[in-house]
Amino acid sequence: GENVEQHPSTLSVQEGDSAVIKCTYSDSASNYFPWYKQELGKRPQLIIDIRSNVGEKKDQRIAVTLNKTAKHFSLHITETQPEDSAVYFCAASKTDSSYKLIFGSGTRLLVRP
Amino acid sequence: DAGVIQSPRHEVTEMGQEVTLRCKPISGHDYLFWYRQTMMRGLELLIYFNNNVPIDDSGMPEDRFSAKMPNASFSTLKIQPSEPRDSAVYFCASSLGAGVEKLFFGSGTQLSVL
């Protein structure tokens, strides 16, 4: 079955710097890759997603890139702010044959003021 | 819309007791998912429904776990009997039409089995 690996497990950056979180997936048939942000004690919330027919997607300070050949996708946060501090989860799914969303293990991002 | 509503927010029970977790999906959403979150295993899909019908329950850990969706606005996840290793946060999530795309999560139920 699908396996999603996420790195790093923790990431500390200075406010204003960029943060990059990387994920790899095992099933080449996966075609949907969302990213969720979970603040302490709160629910996971979708922040951005990308489908396999697109290489990059951007929404203000966040962007996601996808390399289908290498089975990698990454989350990029620019001009980080303290409110970006949270746990970020990547996930992968094959939406044309299954609705199982397989999550990575999460990255705890700390933005230092 | 109030979003996905779960109850209770916290549940503390003793080993061997029955536990029932409840979920009200967003009105009009036709997919409902139950996830479990632990430090060791992360976010795991337990079961999902489409139009109130269970589609995939392969993630349900064992027969002690059962889930139902009697109508479009209500689902339950039951653990009977509960064990300390069931302690986790249980999330319900719903989506419209596109399965796992644009999932909306509830606030979760923090379950502690003593």
Side-chain angles (χ1 to χ4, degrees):
Chain A
E2 175 67 283
N3 183 49
V4 177
E5 294 192 358
Q6 184 171 347
H7 300 280
S9 57
T10 58
L11 179 59
S12 180
V13 299
Q14 194 70 37
E15 181 178 359
D17 288 351
S18 295
V20 180
I21 302 170
K22 299 180 179 181
C23 289
T24 60
Y25 59 99
S26 60
D27 191 338
S28 57
S30 290
N31 61 353
Y32 175 68
F33 308 93
W35 286 87
Y36 283 81
K37 175 183 180 182
Q38 187 177 27
E39 298 177 4
L40 188 62
K42 301 289 182 63
R43 72 191 78 188
Q45 291 190 294
L46 178 69
I47 56 171
I48 194 167
D49 56 4
I50 192 169
R51 295 191 63 89
S52 58
N53 58 349
V54 175
E56 183 174 359
K57 185 176 179 180
K58 190 172 181 180
D59 183 4
Q60 299 183 340
R61 295 187 297 108
I62 59 173
V64 58
T65 59
L66 172 65
N67 182 330
K68 285 193 301 182
T69 303
K71 292 187 283 188
H72 288 172
F73 58 113
S74 300
L75 178 71
H76 304 254
I77 306 174
T78 58
E79 301 173 21
T80 53
Q81 301 167 4
E83 51 264 39
D84 294 330
S85 297
V87 178
Y88 291 82
F89 293 93
C90 63
S93 177
K94 296 181 288 188
T95 58
D96 52 356
S97 62
S98 164
Y99 291 132
K100 285 186 173 182
L101 197 57
I102 306 300
F103 284 87
S105 53
T107 296
R108 185 172 300 277
L109 173 65
L110 174 64
V111 180
R112 306 186 305 274
Chain B
D1 199 313
V4 177
I5 300 173
Q6 289 187 247
S7 64
R9 287 297 309 274
H10 304 274
E11 176 80 36
V12 180
T13 190
E14 292 187 346
M15 183 173 63
Q17 296 298 305
E18 177 180 294
V19 175
T20 299
L21 311 181
R22 297 173 176 80
C23 175
K24 181 182 188 314
I26 293 174
S27 177
H29 280 194
D30 54 352
Y31 284 86
L32 184 139
F33 302 80
W34 281 100
Y35 282 89
R36 177 171 68 175
Q37 186 175 38
T38 61
M39 288 295 294
M40 291 297 295
R41 301 174 67 89
L43 274 161
E44 302 174 279
L45 176 65
L46 301 178
I47 184 171
Y48 78 88
F49 296 81
N50 177 219
N51 290 322
N52 314 337
V53 177
I55 303 300
D56 188 334
D57 65 354
S58 60
M60 297 286 261
E62 45 196 281
D63 292 345
R64 298 184 297 106
F65 286 69
S66 62
K68 293 182 179 179
M69 193 165 186
N71 58 62
S73 59
F74 185 65
S75 177
T76 60
L77 178 67
K78 187 175 292 186
I79 308 173
Q80 165 64 14
S82 58
E83 297 183 3
R85 60 194 168 115
D86 301 331
S87 297
V89 180
Y90 291 81
F91 287 103
C92 175
S94 70
S95 68
L96 173 62
V100 294
E101 297 193 25
K102 316 300 182 189
L103 270 186
F104 290 86
F105 282 81
S107 298
T109 294
Q110 174 80 58
L111 174 64
S112 298
V113 183
L114 307 177

